[in-house]
Amino acid sequence: LFQNSASTGGGVETVQGTLRLFNSTVENNTATTFSTGGVYAAVSDLLIVNSTIVGNTTLDSAAGGVFFSSTGAQTGMIVDSTIINNSANFGGGIVNRGNLTIIGSLIANNEADWAGGGIRSDFLSPTEPLTIINSTISGNRVLADTSAATSGGGGLFLRGSGPATITNSTIVDNRANISGTGANDGGG
């Protein structure tokens, strides 16, 4: 999926469905008005295995690389994959709004204007956790200089009451240009 453009899901989009990507590349796609340059999976089951999501852009919203949402019944998994060099207003690499597990993957060199250079995980709840295992989140950045509570998290931005579990993973060399203080500030 290379050099496509759409208002949502420049590379591929599914709503209330199932999306499985194996050994695939989603590269240099653009979302022009809403969300997600690369892979958009809303209220859907998502499985990405041994794939590369690279160089995708959202011009006016969330998730340069991958957007995932669920209502608790759906699950998302990203396994042995690379999500690099994507950009968006927030969630440069990934925006998660559901039960997402990331295993053995690299999330690197993504950019967000406001929050979550690598990953932005919103609305976490006990039924919609974020789990990261044996993965690396590195070299991501947030560009804006702001002290807003919804900004920050160069590597990882978390918001909500549910759990985020990170096991045997590396979060290093991420940056956020934040002028204030707060839970989400800093590079991460």
Side-chain angles (χ1 to χ4, degrees):
L1 302 167
F2 181 70
Q3 291 187 338
N4 297 292
S5 180
S7 63
T8 300
V12 61
E13 173 185 1
T14 184
V15 177
Q16 296 181 341
T18 298
L19 177 60
R20 295 185 175 103
L21 291 175
F22 296 93
N23 306 312
S24 299
T25 300
V26 180
E27 183 175 2
N28 294 337
N29 299 289
T30 303
T32 56
T33 57
F34 183 59
S35 181
T36 315
V39 177
Y40 181 86
V43 193
S44 298
D45 287 302
L46 173 66
L47 178 61
I48 299 173
V49 178
N50 196 34
S51 294
T52 300
I53 315 297
V54 58
N56 300 287
T57 302
T58 299
L59 299 179
D60 196 31
S61 192
V66 177
F67 176 92
F68 171 71
S69 71
S70 71
T71 59
Q74 301 83 15
T75 59
M77 289 192 73
I78 299 172
V79 181
D80 297 330
S81 294
T82 301
I83 299 171
I84 58 171
N85 300 327
N86 300 288
S87 63
N89 283 359
F90 57 92
I94 299 169
V95 168
N96 172 47
R97 292 183 176 159
N99 181 0
L100 179 64
T101 300
I102 301 169
I103 301 171
S105 295
L106 173 66
I107 295 96
N109 302 323
N110 300 288
E111 291 184 352
D113 292 333
W114 298 107
I119 301 171
R120 178 174 173 144
S121 197
D122 289 320
F123 313 118
L124 290 173
S125 72
T127 60
E128 295 182 336
L130 172 66
T131 303
I132 301 171
I133 302 168
N134 297 327
S135 295
T136 298
I137 301 170
S138 176
N140 302 287
R141 64 187 182 146
V142 172
L143 304 174
D145 183 5
T146 180
S147 60
T150 57
S151 298
L156 184 59
F157 178 95
L158 303 173
R159 184 172 71 171
S161 62
T165 303
I166 302 170
T167 306
N168 296 325
S169 296
T170 302
I171 302 173
V172 64
D173 294 329
N174 300 288
R175 292 187 325 227
N177 295 323
I178 302 299
S179 60
T181 59
N184 295 314
D185 293 348

